[in-house]
Amino acid sequence: MTELDCSTEELKTLFLFESLDDEQLEQLCANGHVEMIEAGPVFAEGDDATCFYVLLDGELVLTKMSGGEKIEVNRTSSRGVYAGAWQAYLGDRAPQKYMSGMDVTRPSRFFVLDAERFGDLVREWFPMAVHMLEGLFFGQQSSKQVIDQRERLLALGSLSAGLTHELNNPAAAAVRATAALRDRVSHMRRKLGVIASGVYDTDSLTGLIRLQDEAAELVGKAPELTPMEASDREDALGEWFEDHGISDGWDLAPTFVQAGIEADWLERVAADTGAELLESTIRWLNYTIETELLMNEISDSTTRVSTLVNAAKQYSQMDRAPFQKVDLRVLLKSTLVMLGRKIGDDITVVKDFDPALPPVAAYAAELNQVWTNLIDNAVQAMDGRGTLTLRTSRENDTALIEIGDTGPGVPEAIRSRIFEPFFTTKPVGEGTGLGLDISWRIVVKKHGGDLRLLSEPGDTRFQVRIPIDGPAGAPMPTAEEEVG
């Protein structure tokens, strides 16, 4: 490295310093210097960040480490680009390490400023900006701690749907259902006052309790109905309520249909209670059914939260996943649970699992990462609408897993590049290009398997092949280590 004279006039021509006044430019030259750096490495990712570099002329390459390999992330000869200790203004509150490596491809001139002095000048000249940048930096650090499991799950390939979002939906549903349940219970308390006033004699009250128990039991056995079937039953019950003089019967019909109740059962209710008490009984049964449905909703929502948390715990140990025998169906279903919100209601999921496929010796949590990346890509390729197919089968001594979508397909011109690190066709900010690279390394390098793409419009399939007995030379897991 050769140290050269620093020119304030040259510094002022750089976009980074163009708004500084003459005094500030002079301080830069007084505190920093210009260096001519020969081609080769300047600093490495993870080293102590001692200097802030600004390119005056030449070319630099920024690199990141991935899987033990140095990957080029940026190459530029633009004057004024900077690298190095740009976080120095945070002082000892943040690790002062180089966030990437930097090489120069040919002899290049840099303005170089000591990291500590750079931090002092930034804090002195731009106090408001420093406060905002500190808030942004530490705010991002706090957020990262919350969603770190989700980010690792998506392997940096899908940052838009965090675990917090997945957890928020069932939690919000439980809160809404709890508020509605509180309202229904309040109505039931008032209704109890009416019952206690003597409107029902002992036999009628006994019959009402029996009907209430029957209705609650029917809720638990209610069949799944198609939208058309539900609409037909609502029409039938609405007409029944109208024929029997039940006010607002059309509003009550959907609740009774959800409980699996049909007109025949209501006819028995009418016969048991009589015309005078029919409407009161129907209202009471409606409260009972709504209460049961809301409790089911709360149970389903909290169960989903628990499922997501359990799945997240599994994924959070990706880099330390134990080698074990796993049922691939369990892994695939678990991944679908985690991505349920992202998959959405407009994508049909087809699961074609071979029941004869034996457990596979593998790193379970890391395979979950592979499924997540592939499913996430498929969903985005279909733009949220289409058919997602997950298929398992056996090919000799390997397990074949196919994840397919009905999207437009991968253009032939880029198929050979899709497993390259940092290659992405997604808009800026929506992908890092690491998802398929990470998946390839997990399948091929860690499991001794194979990952390939078959694609044509309307039928894109990623095929994953995993040796059933694990990679060559790996110890077979014991029976106690089997999962599934």
Side-chain angles (χ1 to χ4, degrees):
M1 297 183 184
T2 304
E3 190 167 325
L4 307 172
D5 292 335
C6 177
S7 167
T8 58
E9 291 301 319
E10 183 177 27
L11 293 185
K12 194 171 181 64
T13 65
L14 305 178
F15 69 87
L16 190 62
F17 302 135
E18 62 185 3
S19 64
L20 299 183
D21 58 32
D22 292 341
E23 182 181 350
Q24 290 171 322
L25 291 169
E26 289 173 1
Q27 286 191 61
L28 284 179
C29 276
N31 288 279
H33 60 276
V34 174
E35 283 185 11
M36 176 65 75
I37 301 178
E38 297 299 319
V42 181
F43 56 78
E45 179 183 352
D47 288 350
D48 290 337
T50 59
C51 295
F52 178 72
Y53 294 84
V54 181
L55 182 65
L56 297 177
D57 59 64
E59 184 179 62
L60 64 82
V61 174
L62 297 180
T63 61
K64 296 283 287 185
M65 297 302 295
S66 176
E69 301 176 6
K70 191 162 70 171
I71 307 298
E72 179 179 324
V73 296
N74 192 19
R75 178 186 294 257
T76 181
S77 57
S78 299
R79 299 180 69 250
V81 297
Y82 57 89
W86 60 271
Q87 291 186 156
Y89 63 87
L90 295 172
D92 58 8
R93 290 175 295 170
Q96 294 302 320
K97 302 288 185 180
Y98 289 121
M99 305 302 291
S100 62
M102 187 176 81
D103 298 358
V104 293
T105 60
R106 60 176 186 264
S108 304
R109 281 194 314 126
F110 288 86
F111 172 71
V112 183
L113 193 58
D114 176 77
E116 185 175 351
R117 190 62 187 131
F118 168 67
D120 292 339
L121 291 175
V122 172
R123 287 190 292 269
E124 177 185 343
W125 292 348
F126 313 109
M128 179 177 177
V130 168
H131 287 311
M132 296 180 69
L133 289 170
E134 286 175 343
L136 176 63
F137 178 83
F138 292 114
Q140 287 179 334
Q141 290 292 97
S142 298
S143 298
K144 186 178 183 301
Q145 292 176 1
V146 175
I147 63 173
D148 184 60
Q149 290 181 340
R150 181 63 173 176
E151 289 178 339
R152 292 172 64 194
L153 165 66
L154 297 180
L156 305 179
S158 177
L159 302 177
S160 60
L163 178 60
T164 51
H165 184 71
E166 291 286 350
L167 290 171
N168 181 66
N169 293 297
V175 170
R176 290 193 299 269
T178 300
L181 180 61
R182 182 177 289 109
D183 178 69
R184 297 305 182 273
V185 172
S186 174
H187 282 80
M188 292 184 76
R189 286 199 300 267
R190 292 197 291 271
K191 195 69 175 177
L192 279 172
V194 175
I195 293 174
S197 67
V199 174
Y200 291 84
D201 57 29
T202 301
D203 291 340
S204 298
L205 187 57
T206 301
L208 179 61
I209 293 172
R210 177 179 53 79
L211 291 171
Q212 182 181 23
D213 290 340
E214 285 186 27
E217 186 176 344
L218 288 171
V219 171
K221 299 177 179 178
E224 291 286 338
L225 301 176
T226 65
M228 184 64 71
E229 289 172 335
S231 178
D232 290 343
R233 292 194 180 191
E234 287 173 14
D235 289 342
L237 291 190
E239 291 175 1
W240 190 92
F241 288 134
E242 190 173 57
D243 292 343
H244 289 77
I246 307 299
S247 59
D248 300 323
W250 290 97
D251 294 330
L252 301 177
T255 302
F256 281 79
V257 169
Q258 278 187 271
I261 291 174
E262 298 186 68
D264 290 345
W265 191 80
L266 292 178
E267 288 291 352
R268 288 202 299 109
V269 172
D272 289 347
T273 60
E276 290 184 2
L277 297 177
L278 179 58
E279 177 152 1
S280 179
T281 300
I282 291 295
R283 300 286 177 192
W284 178 260
L285 293 176
N286 182 65
Y287 291 141
T288 299
I289 293 168
E290 286 184 324
T291 300
E292 290 294 321
L293 291 172
L294 288 168
M295 287 192 294
N296 287 346
E297 185 176 348
I298 293 170
S299 176
D300 291 343
S301 298
T302 52
T303 298
R304 178 161 173 74
V305 169
S306 177
T307 300
L308 286 167
V309 170
N310 289 335
K313 288 179 180 178
Q314 176 191 19
Y315 288 117
S316 68
Q317 300 298 315
M318 259 188 292
D319 56 350
R320 302 189 303 276
F323 187 62
Q324 55 197 316
K325 280 192 173 183
V326 295
D327 186 336
L328 294 179
R329 293 171 298 181
V330 173
L331 301 188
L332 290 165
K333 289 176 181 178
S334 174
T335 304
L336 288 174
V337 169
M338 288 295 290
L339 294 179
R341 173 69 181 181
K342 172 162 283 192
I343 294 171
D345 298 329
D346 294 328
I347 290 181
T348 301
V349 179
V350 176
K351 290 174 283 189
D352 182 11
F353 297 151
D354 180 2
L357 182 66
V360 174
Y363 297 90
E366 297 197 31
L367 286 184
N368 280 337
Q369 187 177 5
V370 174
W371 316 143
T372 302
N373 290 333
L374 299 183
I375 292 172
D376 180 63
N377 280 350
V379 171
Q380 294 202 29
M382 293 186 287
D383 197 22
R385 185 181 299 274
T387 300
L388 173 69
T389 302
L390 280 67
R391 180 177 292 111
T392 65
S393 60
R394 179 168 184 165
E395 283 188 353
N396 300 319
D397 294 329
T398 66
L400 170 62
I401 305 91
E402 286 190 321
I403 296 178
D405 66 72
T406 55
V410 179
E412 187 173 357
I414 66 171
R415 289 178 195 172
S416 62
R417 300 191 59 197
I418 60 170
F419 296 115
E420 292 180 8
F422 302 106
F423 177 76
T424 179
T425 59
K426 299 173 184 176
V428 175
E430 293 187 14
T432 62
L434 290 176
L436 292 179
D437 168 58
I438 291 172
S439 299
W440 187 87
R441 285 188 285 113
I442 290 173
V443 172
V444 178
K445 291 189 175 182
K446 191 145 193 176
H447 286 86
D450 180 63
L451 174 59
R452 65 184 65 175
L453 168 70
L454 303 176
S455 183
E456 60 183 49
D459 182 17
T460 295
R461 285 174 285 155
F462 280 95
Q463 293 184 327
V464 179
R465 289 175 172 83
I466 302 290
I468 291 176
D469 292 335
M476 284 295 292
T478 64
E480 289 77 12
E481 294 175 317
E482 294 190 14
V483 171

